[in-house]
Amino acid sequence: MQGLSLRVRGIVQGVGFRPFVFQLAERHGLAGWVRSTSSQVEIEVEGSGEALAGFLRDLRECAPPPTRIDEIESEDRPASGYGSFEIVEGHFDPGWQSIPPDTATCDACLEETLDPSDRRHRYPFTTCAHCGPRFTIVQELPCDRSRTTMACFEMCEDCRSEYEDPRGRRFHAQAIACPACGPRVWLQWPNGEPVEGDPIDACAALLAGGRIAALKGLGGFQLACDATDAEAVERLRTGKQVYGEPFAVMVPDLDWARRLCEVTPAEIEALKSHERPIVLLRRRPGGGVAEQVAPGSNTLGLMLPQTPLDHLLLRGFDGPLVMTGGNLGEAPIADGNREASERLSATADVFLFHNRDIYARYGASVVRVMGDTAVPIRKARGCAPTPLQLPLSAAQDILAVGGRKKSTFCMVKGSQAVVGPHIGNLENLETLEQYEASLKLFARLLELEPGIIAHDMHPDYPSTHLAHEYPAPSALRVVVQHHHAHVVSAMAEHGVRDPVIGVAYDGTGYGTDGAIWGGEILVADWKSFQRAAHLRYAPLLGGEAAIQKPYRMATGYIWSLCAACEVDFEEYLGRIPIGERILLRRQFETEVNTPPTSSCGRLFDAAAALLGLSTEALYEGQPAVELEAAADPAVDVVYPYDILRDGEGWIIDPAATLRALWCELRAGRPIPTIAAAFHNTVADFTRNVCVAVREKYGLKKVVLSGGCFQNALLTRRILDGLSDDGFEVLTHRVVPPNDGGISLGQAVVAYALTEGI
Ligand code: ZN
Ligand code: ZN
Ligand code: FE
C-alpha cells in the first residue's frame, strides 16, 4: 500500500471534476478523498503502486471537457488506511477563486434530450456537471446552486437523487433541472399573446416562414432569421440598425457547415470545441446563404448549437439561421424578458422566452483558424473569463482597464490573471455601464482590492477616466502605451519576459509623441520599449472621420507621402466631390483635427480605397477585410517601398507601394493580384526591418500583435517570411491580437514598472 497526495490546478472547479476523480478512484480500487479549495483541487489516494500509476495516467488523459488541467503536483506519502473514497467538503479561502465558463451541451445530455423515452426528452435546459450555464448564472462564488439564478427552482425528487449521486453525471451539477422542476420556455407575439403549439417547433415554423424571432439564449437575447431568406435578413439589418457588419450563422451540424463553407480539420475542432465560438470560414459559392448576411466578404461566421434549446430549434428548422445579438446599434444585448420586449418588439415578430434569469450577459465568441492555431478574435460567451497563469507574483492586486472599442479588463492576483469578457465600444453609454457592472461583478467575485490600476495612455478613453474614478483612491495609476501593451500581452501569454522584437500592427493607439500610432516595430520587454521602426506618418484627415471614409486616408497619403508623384493620382483625386476636396485640403494644410498617424490599419484602408473596394467603412477594419477577401494567395509579387534611417531607428515609407498599386490598377492588372501583392509587400518590409533590428539588438524572437493580425493572409505571409529568416515567431492563442487583449499587457507592464523584475 502506498499513498499519493495531489494538487491539481487549471479549470477544475464547477466542471464536474470531483465526481470524475471519485469515479476514477473507484475504478482503480483506490481509497482516499478529494476536495476543492479556492485555487485547486486536492486529492489523497492510496492503493497498490500499479493502481496509483493507472489513476494518475487517467487523471491526466481522460478528464472530460471543459476540465483543463494545467498542473498536477504530486507527492508520495505513507498510506493512512482510508476505508473508501469520498468527496469531502471544500475549503475556500477568501480571495482567488476560479470562475467556470458556460459550456456547450455535452453529447450525453444531447442524447437524453433527443431520446423519446428519457424524462428530459425535448427539455431545453438539460445540463450535467460537465456542460451548461455557469458564469452567466453565478451570483456568488464558490459556485453553488443557491448562489445562482437556479436558486428559485426547487429540485424535484429525481433531480435531487441525481444531484447527490457521486457515481452519476449530475453530482453537484448546479444547474440541474428537468421538465418537472426546472425553467420552461414559451413563445409569444410582441403583444404578449401566446403562440399555440410546442414553442420550439412553432418558432422554427415561423422562422421558416420568414419571421424574425428574439430568443432568450445563454448570455442574453439573440435575434434569429432564416439565413437563406434575403428579405428577412435585410429586415433584420434595418431593425437592428447594423449595415455592413457580417451576421453569424448557426447551422444544425457539421454537414451543414461543410455545405456552406470550406472547413479544415482544425476548423472542425474549433467549431466543435465546448466554447462553441463563431468560426470565421471561407464561404462556398452557391451555398445558399443570402448575400446580405456578410456583404462583400468571402468568409462566413458559423457556429454549431450551444444549448439544448439551440439544438432543438435548429433540428426543427433544419437549415442555417442568422443568429445575432439581441441589441440595436451598439447598445448592449438585452437580457431581461421585459427589456427585450420593449427594445426588440419593432424588430422581432415573435419572442421565445424562458424564466431562468441571466445574471451576466455576454455576446458570442469569435475565432479564426490560421494554420493550425485557433486565434481568438473575441472572447465572450463560453470562453470568458479567461484564466491565465503568469510567470510573476504580484504583491498587490492589479486591475487593468483595457482600451476603448473592443474593451476587456484584466485582474491579477498573485500569479493568476483573469481577462474578462469582450464587452464592446465604451463610447456607447449603455455599453460603458455594462462594462462597469461587469467590472464590479468580477471585483466582487475575486475580492479584488487593486493597489495598481493600469490604463491606456490616451487621456480621453472612457476606460482611462474609469481608471481614475475607480473607488481605490490610494491605488497607484500606471499609464501604459497602447502598442507596448499589445506586445507584452503576446509575451505574457507565452510566458516570455526577455526582450523581443514586437510587431504591433493595428488601427489606432495613442503614441508617446501624441501622434496616432499603429504600424510599430518595438524592441520591448515588460518594463519598457524602444520604437525601433514605424510606418511613415500620414495625415488622418478629419480624425476619426477618416476611419469611416477610407478615401480620405488615401487622399492623405497622396498629398503627404506621394506628393512628388501626385500627378499620377489626379484621376483618383478627381473622384472626390470638389466641395469635400477643398475641405480636406484645408484640413491637410492647417492640420486642424488632422493628427499624423503611422497606423498599419489605415494603410490598408488607403490601399482598399485606391482599389475602389470600400468607399465607406461601415465598421472599423472593413476595408482590410475586403482587401484580404479580394487577394489571390497564389500571387507572390512584391511592390517597392523604402526604408529610411531615422536617428536610432527606421521609418517605413509605403509611398512607392501605393503608387505601384495604383499604376497596376490603371494598367488593368486584376484586383486579386494587386491585393495580394499589397499584403506581400507589408510582409516583405516587416521582414526586412526585423532583420535590421535583429542585427542591431541581437534579438531573434518576434511577437505579432495588433488588430491587423486578424487578417489571416497577412499573418501567414509575415510568419512565413520571418520563419524563413530564422526568427522565432510568437502569435496570439489565448487573448485576441486586437484591443481585446491589451488589458493583459497593461497589467503585466504595470506590474513590471511598480514591483520590478
Ligand atoms: Zn451534459
Ligand atoms: Zn427535476
Ligand atoms: Fe490596438
Side-chain angles (χ1 to χ4, degrees):
M1 284 285 270
Q2 299 168 18
L4 265 184
S5 172
L6 304 167
R7 274 178 280 274
V8 187
R9 284 181 281 271
I11 299 176
V12 288
Q13 321 254 12
V15 291
F17 185 65
R18 289 170 310 148
F20 161 73
V21 172
F22 175 89
Q23 287 159 36
L24 209 60
E26 283 208 328
R27 197 181 325 141
H28 289 279
L30 299 173
W33 53 261
V34 57
R35 71 167 187 180
S36 270
T37 70
S38 307
S39 56
Q40 59 193 0
V41 167
E42 297 174 350
I43 306 168
E44 287 205 357
V45 274
E46 50 196 53
S48 72
E50 199 183 326
L52 287 172
F55 172 83
L56 205 54
R57 184 195 59 231
D58 288 352
L59 188 68
R60 276 181 215 283
E61 290 171 9
C62 305
T67 299
R68 189 190 81 199
I69 295 177
D70 292 339
E71 200 185 352
I72 300 179
E73 234 178 84
S74 133
E75 212 177 297
D76 292 332
R77 45 157 213 90
S80 25
Y82 295 117
S84 61
F85 195 89
E86 273 174 59
I87 299 178
V88 299
E89 190 71 28
H91 170 76
F92 296 97
D93 308 317
W96 189 266
Q97 306 210 6
S98 70
I99 309 171
D102 298 325
T103 302
T105 303
C106 71
D107 292 344
C109 283
L110 180 59
E111 222 166 87
E112 287 174 332
T113 312
L114 300 175
D115 176 0
S117 68
D118 194 279
R119 72 187 189 94
R120 290 190 176 86
H121 180 230
R122 293 187 60 81
Y123 184 56
F125 303 96
T126 304
T127 71
C128 70
H130 307 301
C131 76
R134 297 285 186 278
F135 187 63
T136 50
I137 61 165
V138 174
Q139 293 159 322
E140 296 289 341
L141 288 174
C143 182
D144 180 90
R145 189 179 177 95
S146 64
R147 291 184 283 256
T148 70
T149 59
M150 287 298 291
C152 57
F153 299 99
E154 184 83 40
M155 271 184 253
C156 69
E157 288 284 304
D158 289 338
C159 284
R160 179 160 296 282
S161 67
E162 288 177 295
Y163 184 84
E164 286 168 359
D165 174 13
R167 285 171 189 84
R169 254 171 50 237
R170 295 199 165 89
F171 179 74
H172 283 216
Q174 306 305 342
I176 188 173
C178 77
C181 67
R184 58 180 193 91
V185 293
W186 69 94
L187 189 66
Q188 68 179 48
W189 301 109
N191 66 8
E193 271 178 45
V195 178
E196 296 290 308
D198 174 89
I200 298 173
D201 280 346
C203 187
L206 287 167
L207 286 164
R211 307 290 187 110
I212 295 171
L215 318 168
K216 188 172 185 180
L218 205 49
F221 275 82
Q222 292 172 299
L223 287 163
C225 75
D226 181 350
T228 65
D229 182 337
E231 206 189 302
V233 179
E234 196 56 53
R235 214 153 52 79
L236 181 52
R237 280 206 175 278
T238 317
K240 215 176 121 86
Q241 299 153 27
V242 167
Y243 300 102
E245 221 153 328
F247 284 150
V249 171
M250 189 179 276
V251 287
D253 50 36
L254 280 173
D255 282 340
W256 268 100
R258 289 193 194 94
R259 210 184 294 185
L260 302 181
C261 292
E262 290 163 28
V263 278
T264 64
E267 286 167 339
I268 289 176
E269 281 314 303
L271 281 167
K272 277 171 35 191
S273 67
H274 63 81
E275 294 94 349
R276 282 296 192 280
I278 294 166
V279 184
L280 299 180
L281 300 168
R282 185 165 277 264
R283 196 200 295 220
R284 240 183 236 287
V289 166
E291 175 59 27
Q292 288 84 343
V293 171
S297 168
N298 64 347
T299 62
L300 203 56
L302 289 195
M303 62 181 144
L304 293 176
Q306 184 174 28
T307 65
L309 181 64
D310 294 342
H311 280 287
L312 293 168
L313 184 67
L314 268 287
R315 269 159 206 264
F317 180 76
D318 193 26
L321 281 178
V322 164
M323 210 42 108
T324 178
N327 57 338
L328 307 183
E330 287 197 328
I333 294 165
D335 63 353
N337 290 356
R338 190 179 306 145
E339 183 194 1
S341 307
E342 282 166 12
R343 290 188 181 197
L344 305 177
S345 57
T347 310
D349 302 312
V350 69
F351 287 81
L352 188 61
F353 284 134
H354 63 68
N355 58 343
R356 184 178 69 203
D357 285 343
I358 296 164
Y359 193 66
R361 60 182 152 189
Y362 279 146
S365 298
V366 183
V367 307
R368 184 162 194 193
V369 175
M370 302 191 193
D372 286 332
T373 311
V375 178
I377 302 292
R378 188 164 80 196
K379 296 192 91 165
R381 194 171 65 228
C383 44
T386 312
L388 208 70
Q389 184 80 32
L390 296 175
L392 57 79
S393 179
Q396 305 180 73
D397 292 359
I398 304 172
L399 166 67
V401 294
R404 175 178 51 168
K405 285 212 166 132
K406 297 189 163 94
S407 55
T408 62
F409 49 77
C410 174
M411 294 177 178
V412 175
K413 251 183 184 306
S415 58
Q416 301 261 23
V418 159
V419 180
H422 165 99
I423 292 176
N425 185 355
L426 298 188
E427 262 159 21
N428 177 294
L429 195 62
E430 287 172 90
T431 309
L432 182 64
E433 281 167 9
Q434 196 203 337
Y435 174 95
E436 289 180 90
S438 184
L439 185 64
K440 220 164 148 185
L441 170 67
F442 272 72
R444 183 164 58 79
L445 292 178
L446 300 176
E447 297 179 29
L448 188 89
E449 284 170 22
I452 299 163
I453 301 178
H455 62 83
D456 194 85
M457 189 170 269
H458 198 297
D460 278 327
Y461 274 5
S463 57
T464 302
H465 295 302
L466 210 123
H468 286 283
E469 286 153 20
Y470 192 88
S474 59
L476 202 61
R477 267 65 179 181
V478 180
V479 178
V480 182
Q481 200 280 325
H482 191 94
H483 303 96
H484 188 208
H486 268 305
V487 169
V488 175
S489 72
M491 294 172 74
E493 73 171 68
H494 287 279
V496 172
R497 318 168 57 135
D498 294 331
V500 296
I501 303 172
V503 178
Y505 286 169
D506 80 339
T508 52
Y510 200 78
T512 52
D513 58 357
I516 309 286
W517 291 10
E520 312 304 313
I521 296 181
L522 309 178
V523 167
D525 59 16
W526 287 4
K527 210 170 194 164
S528 62
F529 69 94
Q530 256 177 291
R531 202 180 184 199
H534 63 88
L535 275 169
R536 195 166 162 198
Y537 284 141
L540 196 62
L541 295 173
E544 294 274 303
I547 299 174
Q548 279 126 43
K549 297 183 168 158
Y551 62 85
R552 289 193 174 193
M553 212 51 233
T555 307
Y557 265 108
I558 293 168
W559 282 338
S560 58
L561 272 60
C562 309
C565 54
E566 194 184 318
V567 55
D568 292 337
F569 292 97
E570 228 162 59
E571 185 199 325
Y572 183 80
L573 295 173
R575 291 179 197 163
I576 302 168
I578 182 76
E580 188 175 1
R581 208 161 71 218
I582 291 170
L583 178 94
L584 291 177
R585 188 73 202 180
R586 195 175 308 140
Q587 278 178 335
F588 175 67
E589 277 160 9
T590 59
E591 292 174 18
V592 171
N593 193 18
T594 297
T597 182
S598 57
S599 163
C600 185
R602 299 292 84 79
L603 177 62
F604 271 80
D605 287 355
L610 283 172
L611 291 181
L613 292 173
S614 298
T615 42
E616 204 153 342
L618 296 164
Y619 58 96
E620 191 180 356
Q622 187 188 14
V625 167
E626 292 180 0
L627 198 63
E628 183 190 357
D632 172 3
V635 172
D636 54 10
V637 180
V638 175
Y639 291 150
Y641 54 86
D642 290 293
I643 294 177
L644 317 169
R645 218 38 235 234
D646 169 51
E648 288 297 288
W650 294 271
I651 289 179
I652 305 154
D653 184 348
T657 313
L658 293 174
R659 182 158 178 266
L661 176 148
W662 176 244
C663 294
E664 290 265 287
L665 181 72
R666 288 209 303 172
R669 189 87 63 204
I671 284 181
T673 307
I674 306 176
F678 178 79
H679 281 80
N680 300 343
T681 309
V682 175
D684 199 68
F685 65 59
T686 305
R687 188 179 80 176
N688 278 326
V689 170
C690 285
V691 168
V693 174
R694 175 172 63 189
E695 271 163 30
K696 184 168 170 192
Y697 295 90
L699 301 171
K700 284 196 304 213
K701 211 173 262 173
V702 181
V703 309
L704 308 181
S705 190
C708 294
F709 292 104
Q710 297 170 109
N711 179 325
L713 179 63
L714 180 72
T715 306
R716 196 168 71 227
R717 287 287 195 263
I718 290 184
L719 224 140
D720 289 350
L722 290 170
S723 308
D724 281 352
D725 239 313
F727 287 97
E728 184 192 341
V729 191
L730 304 175
T731 58
H732 282 285
R733 286 179 303 200
V734 180
V735 296
N738 60 47
D739 286 3
I742 62 171
S743 59
L744 173 65
Q746 290 171 343
V748 173
V749 172
Y751 163 80
L753 283 172
T754 54
E755 298 194 2
I757 39 169

